[in-house]
Amino acid sequence: MELHIGIIIKQRVDELGISKAEFARRINTTSQNIYGIFKRKSIDTNLLIKISQVLNHNFFQYFTSSVIKVKEEKEMLNSNISIVDLSDKISNIENKLQIAQKEISLKDKIILLLEEKIGKSK
């Protein structure tokens, strides 16, 4: 789920029971702008600092947890890529082993034929 900071801010305002007009006054803006803030998926850092102070809530924590989640997903993806790489390498080695085993088998047959031929010529 994508982070929607405006909804999170609105939830905090509602939780505290602060009117939109009071919230607007506290952050030194208009009530009209408050509705715009509630619709935002992203927000200016300075404004978020002010909102965090006014609402006594660290809204930056949501961004931090999102960054951590993205990092964890990236690490998982990288480990999956490593597993795929390893799987490809194992498959390649197995193919080379089969080829080597066939070559050994052919060389064993050649040796037997040569030994038979040497034995007959004596």
Side-chain angles (χ1 to χ4, degrees), residues 45-61:
T45 307
N46 289 329
L47 179 56
L48 192 58
I49 290 169
K50 188 180 237 181
I51 291 171
S52 293
Q53 291 168 341
V54 166
L55 298 179
N56 195 27
H57 188 82
N58 179 9
F59 290 97
F60 290 93
Q61 70 182 323

Side-chain angles (χ1 to χ4, degrees), residues 2 85 88 97 99:
E2 187 178 338
D85 288 345
D88 288 346
L97 179 61
I99 291 169

Side-chain angles (χ1 to χ4, degrees), residues 4-122:
H4 194 297
I5 194 65
I7 291 173
I8 297 170
I9 293 168
K10 182 180 184 313
Q11 288 171 342
R12 179 65 178 169
V13 169
D14 292 345
E15 179 183 304
L16 294 174
I18 300 171
S19 70
K20 310 311 182 254
E22 176 60 20
F23 178 50
R25 187 192 64 72
R26 290 184 187 183
I27 64 169
N28 198 28
T29 192
T30 65
S31 295
Q32 193 86 15
N33 284 341
I34 295 303
Y35 291 100
I37 289 171
F38 293 162
K39 292 179 183 178
R40 293 182 187 178
K41 288 186 179 182
S42 63
I43 194 165
D44 177 74
T45 307
N46 289 329
L47 179 56
L48 192 58
I49 290 169
K50 188 180 237 181
I51 291 171
S52 293
Q53 291 168 341
V54 166
L55 298 179
N56 195 27
H57 188 82
N58 179 9
F59 290 97
F60 290 93
Q61 70 182 323
Y62 303 104
F63 294 102
T64 304
S65 62
S66 293
V67 168
I68 290 169
K69 184 177 177 185
V70 167
K71 184 178 178 185
E72 288 171 352
E73 289 172 356
K74 182 180 176 190
E75 287 172 357
M76 280 180 50
L77 181 60
N78 286 341
S79 69
N80 287 342
I81 289 170
S82 296
I83 291 169
V84 169
D85 288 345
L86 286 175
S87 178
D88 288 346
K89 287 178 182 179
I90 289 170
S91 182
N92 191 14
I93 290 170
E94 286 174 340
N95 289 338
K96 287 180 180 180
L97 179 61
Q98 286 177 349
I99 291 169
Q101 287 172 334
K102 286 179 184 177
E103 287 178 357
I104 290 170
S105 178
L106 286 172
K107 287 180 181 180
D108 284 344
K109 287 179 183 176
I110 291 171
I111 289 170
L112 282 174
L113 289 171
L114 288 172
E115 286 175 344
E116 284 177 14
K117 188 172 184 178
I118 292 172
K120 286 182 182 176
S121 64
K122 284 186 179 182

